[in-house]
Amino acid sequence: MGELILIRHGETEWSRSGQHTSYTDLPLTAAGERQARSLAPLLADRNIGLTLVSPSVRARRTAALAGLGSPRVTPELHEWDYGGYEGITTKEIRRTRPFWNLWTDGVDPGDDDHPGESPREVGERADRVLAGVRSAAEGLGGADLALVAHSHFLRVFIARYLGLTPAEGRLFQLATGSVTLLSTEHGYPVVAALNLALPESLQQS
């Protein structure tokens, strides 16, 4: 298997403000579009055999602007379902739950369509995606495989790739519009690069 290329979508209004965003389908901001376009030269020399993308507008737009043609929309790449915390910042949550931590406490339940997910449930979903990725990679002849998705889900995915618990995704901060590379060294899974991005001064409108 080649390397796994993880791409967090570009900035949205809520990623900028710190509001938890799972199913709310926000577009990229102008800055988010610049971030997404700036990924193209970082990916241009990669041999990417398959791109999987979250169904959200922000992820699909990022993939398009980054030059990733014909991505396969993959529902299980959606962001952590924040349930009752959708659209709410950590600061606001901690007004009533001072020691709240997403990685260990999960979220308050939402409605029937978006009940929320526990860390364990997100980890199980990441495991299913990882199994699918490994199966798909067998037919790619060593080419890389790209995932375009969301911060918290991708952080859990990294943790599970490394054999860590879902909660240990807290160790990997992912910036908007950035690239992370997962690889192997001597047969062991490793993070080869984290948060690759062009400096803002080099991003073109």
Short mmCIF file of all heavy atoms in Angstrom, two decimals, residues 48-52 70 72 136 140 143-147:
data_model
loop_
_atom_site.label_atom_id
_atom_site.label_comp_id
_atom_site.label_asym_id
_atom_site.label_seq_id
_atom_site.Cartn_x
_atom_site.Cartn_y
_atom_site.Cartn_z
N ILE A 48 -1.81 9.40 -6.89
CA ILE A 48 -3.01 9.11 -6.10
C ILE A 48 -3.94 8.23 -6.93
O ILE A 48 -4.48 8.66 -7.94
CB ILE A 48 -3.71 10.41 -5.67
CG1 ILE A 48 -2.75 11.25 -4.81
CG2 ILE A 48 -4.99 10.10 -4.90
CD1 ILE A 48 -3.30 12.62 -4.44
N GLY A 49 -4.11 7.00 -6.47
CA GLY A 49 -4.92 6.05 -7.22
C GLY A 49 -6.40 6.13 -6.92
O GLY A 49 -7.22 5.71 -7.73
N LEU A 50 -6.75 6.68 -5.74
CA LEU A 50 -8.16 6.75 -5.34
C LEU A 50 -8.33 7.86 -4.32
O LEU A 50 -7.49 8.02 -3.42
CB LEU A 50 -8.61 5.42 -4.73
CG LEU A 50 -10.04 5.33 -4.19
CD1 LEU A 50 -11.06 5.49 -5.33
CD2 LEU A 50 -10.26 4.01 -3.46
N THR A 51 -9.39 8.64 -4.47
CA THR A 51 -9.73 9.67 -3.50
C THR A 51 -11.11 9.38 -2.95
O THR A 51 -12.07 9.22 -3.70
CB THR A 51 -9.73 11.08 -4.13
OG1 THR A 51 -8.42 11.38 -4.61
CG2 THR A 51 -10.14 12.13 -3.12
N LEU A 52 -11.21 9.32 -1.63
CA LEU A 52 -12.49 9.16 -0.93
C LEU A 52 -12.82 10.48 -0.26
O LEU A 52 -11.95 11.10 0.37
CB LEU A 52 -12.42 8.05 0.12
CG LEU A 52 -11.94 6.68 -0.36
CD1 LEU A 52 -11.92 5.69 0.80
CD2 LEU A 52 -12.80 6.15 -1.50
N SER A 70 -12.48 13.08 -9.79
CA SER A 70 -13.33 11.89 -9.64
C SER A 70 -13.25 11.25 -8.26
O SER A 70 -13.03 10.03 -8.13
CB SER A 70 -12.95 10.84 -10.71
OG SER A 70 -13.06 11.38 -12.00
N ARG A 72 -14.54 9.56 -4.81
CA ARG A 72 -15.66 8.67 -4.47
C ARG A 72 -16.29 9.17 -3.16
O ARG A 72 -15.63 9.19 -2.11
CB ARG A 72 -15.17 7.24 -4.29
CG ARG A 72 -16.29 6.23 -3.95
CD ARG A 72 -15.72 4.87 -3.62
NE ARG A 72 -14.98 4.29 -4.75
CZ ARG A 72 -14.27 3.17 -4.67
NH1 ARG A 72 -14.17 2.53 -3.51
NH2 ARG A 72 -13.64 2.71 -5.74
N ALA A 136 -9.21 -1.55 -0.63
CA ALA A 136 -9.10 -0.83 -1.90
C ALA A 136 -7.66 -0.69 -2.34
O ALA A 136 -7.36 -0.74 -3.54
CB ALA A 136 -9.74 0.55 -1.75
N LEU A 140 -4.51 -0.97 -6.08
CA LEU A 140 -3.95 0.30 -6.56
C LEU A 140 -2.48 0.20 -6.97
O LEU A 140 -1.87 1.20 -7.37
CB LEU A 140 -4.10 1.39 -5.49
CG LEU A 140 -5.53 1.77 -5.12
CD1 LEU A 140 -5.53 2.87 -4.05
CD2 LEU A 140 -6.30 2.25 -6.35
N ALA A 143 -0.06 2.75 -5.39
CA ALA A 143 -0.41 4.17 -5.45
C ALA A 143 -0.94 4.65 -4.11
O ALA A 143 -1.40 3.86 -3.27
CB ALA A 143 -1.45 4.41 -6.54
N ASP A 144 -0.88 5.96 -3.90
CA ASP A 144 -1.40 6.55 -2.68
C ASP A 144 -2.93 6.59 -2.71
O ASP A 144 -3.55 6.51 -3.77
CB ASP A 144 -0.88 7.98 -2.51
CG ASP A 144 0.63 8.05 -2.37
OD1 ASP A 144 1.24 7.07 -1.91
OD2 ASP A 144 1.21 9.09 -2.75
N LEU A 145 -3.50 6.77 -1.53
CA LEU A 145 -4.95 6.89 -1.41
C LEU A 145 -5.24 8.11 -0.55
O LEU A 145 -4.64 8.28 0.51
CB LEU A 145 -5.52 5.62 -0.78
CG LEU A 145 -7.03 5.41 -0.87
CD1 LEU A 145 -7.36 3.92 -0.88
CD2 LEU A 145 -7.76 6.09 0.27
N ALA A 146 -6.14 8.98 -1.02
CA ALA A 146 -6.43 10.23 -0.32
C ALA A 146 -7.82 10.18 0.33
O ALA A 146 -8.76 9.64 -0.25
CB ALA A 146 -6.37 11.42 -1.28
N LEU A 147 -7.92 10.74 1.54
CA LEU A 147 -9.19 10.91 2.23
C LEU A 147 -9.38 12.40 2.48
O LEU A 147 -8.51 13.05 3.06
CB LEU A 147 -9.20 10.18 3.58
CG LEU A 147 -8.85 8.69 3.61
CD1 LEU A 147 -8.93 8.19 5.05
CD2 LEU A 147 -9.75 7.90 2.72
#
